[in-house]
Amino acid sequence: SYYLQALLMQKQTRPPDKIAKVLLHAIKWVGESGNVIQLARIRLELARTYLMMGNETRARKIARSAYTVLSPINENLLPKDLMPLIEVPPARDDLRDVLLDMGREIVGIRDHRELVHHILSTINRITGSERGAIFLIESNSEEPELALNAARSLTLEDISHETFQSSMALIRETASDRTGRIMDGSPRDKRSLVLDDRRRRPRSAFCIPLVLRDRTIGVLYHDNLLMRSTVSEPDLEILSYFADWATIALENARAYDE
């Protein structure tokens, strides 16, 4: 009953700290019942709530304890938005090697849909990002505009929502000066936002320009709704190498389609 009460409180956009207290009561009683699977599920919800509160350390600890129970049964039981709490990003040297190898692989992909899926899933997996998108510059209009070309876990509705405005500004700036950027999008006072906005407003994001022969053709965008980004400024330089390969691959796929 405590678990159901917490879910109801979420729908009512009640403060996360109050939801966490109810979930802790649920964990206590379910733990005494011995239902380990249900206990793991409640812990995952508590981990998500702690992320809403900005307490990533506790969220990671609780999510990993739940994962040890659920992964032997079915790894898909762990929600995708919490996977970054479990996955540990590779070290910088390993990141460079992995991205360079994957960059060489994508150049040979001719199918556009397969290519963009490979690009976005690779960066999401390597950096622990929840969402990703490719924005390409449409040059057939009087003033070139950035348009969504492909996305993972990001919709047109998300992009048009007011909570994405700061991300869109980051994308435009990256396209304008061809400089990769990292943004901490978490508000100073999380209590000033309703729960729905907190679930849609990126807490962190980064952009990498797509440049071909001294011409910007678009931007790679990736973000996290709940977690801080693990990407640092030195990582952007490494990721730019992969972006170079991705740019060539996108151009090759376009030429192949034509």
Side-chain angles (χ1 to χ4, degrees):
S1 62
Y2 279 114
Y3 181 48
L4 294 176
Q5 181 183 349
L7 296 179
L8 179 61
M9 291 172 69
Q10 287 179 350
K11 291 183 178 180
Q12 296 171 341
T13 65
R14 301 282 294 277
D17 58 333
K18 296 187 181 299
I19 297 174
K21 289 180 181 179
V22 176
L23 287 171
L24 286 170
H25 283 299
I27 287 174
K28 175 185 176 182
W29 291 108
V30 174
E32 292 183 3
S33 73
N35 189 335
V36 293
I37 295 179
Q38 182 65 8
L39 180 62
R41 287 173 172 166
I42 297 174
R43 282 176 172 163
L44 289 176
E45 201 58 51
L46 181 60
R48 185 180 284 110
T49 304
Y50 279 140
L51 282 177
M52 294 289 183
M53 296 167 60
N55 195 334
E56 187 175 322
T57 301
R58 294 188 71 178
R60 190 180 299 277
K61 182 178 179 180
I62 292 173
R64 287 180 174 176
S65 69
Y67 182 72
T68 58
V69 173
L70 297 175
S71 60
I73 302 171
N74 186 346
E75 289 192 352
N76 292 327
L77 291 175
L78 188 75
K80 290 183 179 180
D81 65 317
L82 296 181
M83 279 304 297
L85 292 174
I86 307 300
E87 298 175 345
V88 179
R92 186 163 291 119
D93 290 341
D94 294 336
L95 175 64
R96 181 186 293 107
D97 293 339
V98 169
L99 287 175
L100 286 176
D101 288 342
M102 291 186 171
R104 296 186 188 100
E105 289 178 8
I106 64 174
V107 173
I109 301 176
R110 293 291 180 263
D111 181 77
H112 181 80
R113 181 175 297 181
E114 180 185 354
L115 174 61
V116 295
H117 169 81
H118 200 89
I119 291 171
L120 295 175
S121 61
T122 294
I123 297 185
N124 277 1
R125 184 172 70 254
I126 294 298
T127 63
S129 300
E130 297 172 37
R131 308 189 301 181
I134 297 174
F135 290 84
L136 296 181
I137 293 178
E138 292 186 337
S139 56
N140 55 352
S141 57
E142 293 184 3
E143 294 186 4
E145 296 181 356
L146 284 159
L148 180 65
N149 179 262
R152 287 290 302 273
S153 305
L154 192 64
T155 66
L156 287 172
E157 181 184 357
D158 294 328
I159 293 171
S160 60
H161 197 270
E162 62 179 358
T163 54
F164 199 76
Q165 289 181 0
S166 57
S167 292
M168 204 64 227
L170 188 78
I171 293 166
R172 293 191 181 101
E173 291 170 3
T174 300
S176 176
D177 64 9
R178 304 176 184 174
T179 302
R181 284 176 167 78
I182 299 174
M183 176 187 71
D184 179 6
S186 55
R188 292 180 181 270
D189 185 4
K190 297 182 177 63
R191 292 171 298 180
S192 66
L193 297 172
V194 298
L195 189 61
D196 180 61
D197 277 357
R198 270 177 294 187
R199 284 177 169 168
R200 302 184 71 165
R201 187 183 302 274
R203 184 176 181 187
S204 58
F206 66 90
C207 289
I208 310 166
L210 298 172
V211 181
L212 181 68
R213 293 189 289 274
D214 202 36
R215 177 175 60 90
T216 303
I217 69 166
V219 173
L220 276 175
Y221 170 86
H222 293 264
D223 70 17
N224 283 293
L225 294 176
L226 299 177
M227 297 179 60
R228 294 191 305 271
S229 175
T230 60
V231 175
S232 63
E233 291 291 341
D235 293 332
L236 286 181
E237 182 179 355
I238 299 173
L239 288 165
S240 68
Y241 296 140
F242 179 80
D244 290 341
W245 287 105
T247 304
I248 295 171
L250 287 167
E251 186 67 11
N252 288 346
R254 183 194 62 78
Y256 182 79
D257 287 342
E258 291 181 354

